[in-house]
Amino acid sequence: MSDQAKDERAPNEADAAEANAERTEGGIDGDYEALVRLLKENEELKDRALRVAAEMENLRRRTARDVHDARTYAVANFARDMLSVSDNLRRALDAIPAEAKTSGDAGFKALIEGVDLTERAMLSALERHGVKKLAPEGEKFDPNFHQAMFEVPNPDVPANTVVQVVQPGYSIGERVLRPAMVGVAKGGPKVAAGAPVEPGPVNEQAEKDA
């Protein structure tokens, strides 16, 4: 091979080597970009999957809570209506004079016992369905469960203590069907733990019902 041929061949080989190097570099850059893109897509898919899982868990919890509430409070409206019936039975018993109860009339005594038994059976049935009676005499006034009707000056008990129950209240689960209508102490010693709870506003309709 002549020197001229060698000289012509050398530049061609150099160009080819440079082109191969550029192609190799370009291939590496392309693979890196593809890898970065795949990693980013993987992170997005993982984040989306985690959010979907969190939403499904929240939905499961809400559904379980709704089912629990439906079971617990399904009879709330019916129970509230039955409270007025129970109140009327109690008023009927309270309206009977003491001398009439001790008169010895067998028929009248059986009637009284029947009304009393009916009232107790109704309250027992309501209790089986989660309805509980609130008779908070001696307890601290709680505006969530009690309705203050009046205040009673009584320095012997802490202020805001329930000293009289005008009408018992009822609750179902953690909800109030009807607040207890109460009288609270005024002017007694302060409660040691925590600030005293102020009585709620007087409920005029409740006073009429009582």
Side-chain angles (χ1 to χ4, degrees):
M1 184 181 292
S2 64
D3 292 339
Q4 183 178 358
K6 290 180 179 180
D7 292 340
E8 291 176 354
R9 180 182 173 186
N12 292 334
E13 291 178 349
D15 292 341
E18 184 176 353
N20 287 334
E22 290 177 355
R23 284 196 298 271
T24 301
E25 183 177 355
I28 293 175
D29 290 342
D31 292 343
Y32 177 75
E33 291 176 358
L35 177 61
V36 171
R37 186 172 62 255
L38 289 173
L39 289 174
K40 183 178 180 181
E41 291 176 356
N42 183 62
E43 287 298 322
E44 290 176 352
L45 290 173
K46 185 186 297 184
D47 181 64
R48 190 180 305 169
L50 290 174
R51 279 183 291 175
V52 169
E55 289 175 0
M56 292 301 295
E57 178 62 19
N58 290 335
L59 178 61
R60 185 192 67 79
R61 290 178 179 175
R62 285 197 301 270
T63 302
R65 184 173 63 249
D66 291 344
V67 170
H68 174 268
D69 288 349
R71 289 175 177 172
T72 303
Y73 304 115
V75 299
N77 290 333
F78 174 76
R80 189 177 293 110
D81 290 339
M82 288 300 98
L83 293 182
S84 61
V85 179
S86 176
D87 290 339
N88 289 333
L89 292 173
R90 175 44 48 186
R91 291 189 184 103
L93 291 171
D94 292 341
I96 300 172
E99 58 272 16
K101 293 180 181 180
T102 58
S103 63
D105 188 312
F108 192 67
K109 185 176 181 181
L111 176 61
I112 295 174
E113 291 177 351
V115 174
D116 183 60
L117 181 62
T118 301
E119 183 202 24
R120 286 189 281 115
M122 178 176 292
L123 294 178
S124 178
L126 290 174
E127 188 172 356
R128 286 197 300 271
H129 289 278
V131 178
K132 295 182 179 179
K133 187 175 183 179
L134 303 176
E137 186 169 353
E139 299 178 6
K140 184 179 178 181
F141 176 80
D142 184 346
N144 296 311
F145 293 93
H146 312 147
Q147 174 64 55
M149 306 299 294
F150 50 85
E151 292 180 322
V152 180
N154 189 339
D156 298 329
V157 296
N160 295 318
T161 297
V162 175
V163 293
Q164 184 177 346
V165 178
V166 178
Q167 185 181 61
Y170 292 87
S171 65
I172 181 170
E174 297 178 354
R175 300 179 185 176
V176 177
L177 279 176
R178 186 180 73 190
M181 307 302 174
V182 301
V184 295
K186 178 183 179 181
K190 293 182 178 180
V191 179
V197 180
E198 291 295 331
V202 173
N203 189 323
E204 295 180 358
Q205 184 61 41
E207 286 185 329
K208 294 178 182 178
D209 294 341

